[in-house]
Structures are given as structure tokens and as C-alpha cells.
């Protein structure tokens, strides 16, 4: 697939509209178009990485930043105390739909302790 047709890349380039809730030099976060919970945010790096299989040592700082910003967004959305889940899907069996590394930040309701069936969220 041509990267120019990638939905998240196009959100980054303002070619597709999204409700951006955070942006800095490294990271952009926006509301998921089809939220599975009251809070469902997608967080992406500003550089293209296909999925977690495609990271290397040079991405360690970026990945740390992504986790730090995820926790800050959770606090901003006031779900840090009630709880939330971070999900990174990779490839077909995990149901990765968009080939652009992203973290789902999901919360605002009880998610249960099931980690292997996201349909239950
Ligand atoms: P994945 O299954 O790849 O981990 O997650 C992709 C996510 O992207 C899904 O939760 C889906 O709802 C979301 N998504 C797909 N298309 C769009 C879009 O055009 N805009 C936004 N904001 N989210 C999208």
C-alpha cells in the first residue's frame, strides 16, 4: 500500500480531518473515529513506522515519549485514577487495521480484565 493513502499519515498532513487533542515535535494524538469507550484516543509518532515490528534502537526515545504522553493524556482526560488501557495492535491476528504504529488509549468505563477479546470493550 502506498503510504500517501495511509489514513493516519493523512491525518498528520491535515488531508483528513480529525479531532487532534495533542501535538508536539514527535507525537500526534486524536480521537478515534469509532470509539469503543467514552475515551478512545489514537496516538502516533510523527515519523512513519509501519508497526511495532519495525522499530529499532533509534526509536527508543520516541517510544518512551509515546508512553509518557499517553499517561499525560489519560490524566488530562481524567481517567488516570479510574483506569485505562493502552493497546498496540500488530498485524493480522491482532486486527491491525491501519498500517501506521499507534497506541490506543481507552478508558472512561469499566473495561474488565480480559485482554484477548477487544470486542468486549
Ligand atoms: P487498529 O485496528 O489498526 O489497531 O486501529 C485502527 C483504529 O483507527 C480503529 O480504532 C479505527 O476506528 C480508527 N480509524 C480508522 N479510520 C479512522 C479515521 O479516518 N479517523 C480516525 N480518527 N480514526 C480512524
Amino acid at each position: 500500500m502506498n503510504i500517501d493513502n495511509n489514513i493516519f499519515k493523512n491525518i498528520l498532513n491535515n488531508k483528513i480531518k480529525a479531532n487532534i487533542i495533542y501535538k508536539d515535535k514527535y507525537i500526534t494524538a486524536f480521537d478515534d473515529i469509532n470509539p469503543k469507550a467514552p475515551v478512545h484516543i489514537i496516538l502516533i509518532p510523527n515519523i512513519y513506522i509501519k508497526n511495532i515490528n519495525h522499530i529499532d534502537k533509534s526509536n527508543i526515545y520516541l517510544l518512551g515519549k509515546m508512553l509518557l504522553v499517553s499517561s499525560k493524556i489519560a490524566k488530562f482526560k481524567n481517567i488516570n485514577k479510574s483506569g485505562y488501557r493502552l493497546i498496540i495492535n500488530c498485524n493480522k491476528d491482532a486486527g491491525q487495521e491501519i498500517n501506521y504504529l499507534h497506541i490506543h488509549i481507552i478508558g472512561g468505563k469499566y473495561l474488565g480484565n480480559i485482554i484477548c477479546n477487544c470486542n468486549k470493550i
Side-chain angles (χ1 to χ4, degrees):
M1 182 190 167
N2 183 344
I3 180 64
D4 292 334
N5 297 329
N6 187 285
I7 291 172
F8 291 171
K9 178 91 183 163
N10 283 321
I11 287 174
L12 258 188
N13 295 340
N14 296 314
K15 287 183 186 161
I16 292 178
K17 242 177 103 62
N19 187 33
I20 308 279
I21 62 151
Y22 178 89
K23 195 170 186 68
D24 69 18
K25 190 174 158 192
Y26 302 98
I27 287 161
T28 301
F30 48 87
D31 285 328
D32 194 289
I33 203 169
N34 182 21
K36 307 291 189 299
V39 176
H40 188 169
I41 290 161
I42 301 286
L43 187 142
I44 62 172
N46 293 343
I47 56 162
Y48 177 69
I49 299 173
K50 186 177 178 187
N51 63 40
I52 200 77
N53 285 340
H54 294 259
I55 59 162
D56 61 33
K57 276 187 181 169
S58 72
N59 303 126
I60 288 175
Y61 179 78
L62 174 66
L63 293 166
K65 271 287 258 187
M66 287 174 73
L67 290 177
L68 180 62
V69 170
S70 295
S71 75
K72 286 189 169 164
I73 289 172
K75 196 168 179 192
F76 172 69
K77 287 287 184 179
N78 206 25
I79 56 170
N80 57 321
K81 292 207 172 116
S82 52
Y84 59 98
R85 183 169 292 152
L86 303 181
I87 298 173
I88 299 176
N89 292 320
C90 182
N91 282 339
K92 187 168 59 67
D93 282 358
Q96 185 181 6
E97 185 189 317
I98 310 281
N99 282 323
Y100 194 121
L101 176 65
H102 54 282
I103 297 177
H104 296 255
I105 305 166
I106 300 175
K109 73 173 190 182
Y110 179 65
L111 301 173
N113 60 5
I114 296 167
I115 60 164
C116 60
N117 187 350
C118 290
N119 293 329
K120 300 243 166 138
I121 289 174

